[in-house]
Amino acid sequence: MHIDDVVAELDGHPFEVERCCTRLFREGHLTTTSCGVYRLSSRGLRRCRSDDADADADADADVASGD
């Protein structure tokens, strides 16, 4: 995904989005094929799936507790 698409989707500031993408790239969660184009790495995909599972578990706990 091109950085401009991420900025438009998130309605964020281009410099802030680029900084976050750079950090995620350095941590191995994103790969890049050209300047400003990012894609999830296998590590990033595992993190997203893990985060989704954690969010689902939190939502289930909220429902169970009546929150």
Side-chain angles (χ1 to χ4, degrees), residues 24 28-30 39-56:
L24 290 168
H29 299 291
L30 296 178
R39 123 181 306 166
L40 276 175
S41 66
S42 57
R43 180 179 182 178
L45 186 57
R46 284 191 305 273
R47 178 179 175 179
C48 286
R49 288 180 177 158
S50 173
D51 288 350
D52 285 347
D54 291 345
D56 290 343

Side-chain angles (χ1 to χ4, degrees), residues 15-56:
F15 293 125
E16 187 65 25
V17 173
E18 180 66 33
R19 188 174 65 81
C20 290
C21 287
T22 300
R23 180 179 54 84
L24 290 168
F25 173 76
R26 287 181 182 153
E27 292 174 358
H29 299 291
L30 296 178
T31 62
T32 185
T33 55
S34 65
C35 185
V37 178
Y38 295 93
R39 123 181 306 166
L40 276 175
S41 66
S42 57
R43 180 179 182 178
L45 186 57
R46 284 191 305 273
R47 178 179 175 179
C48 286
R49 288 180 177 158
S50 173
D51 288 350
D52 285 347
D54 291 345
D56 290 343

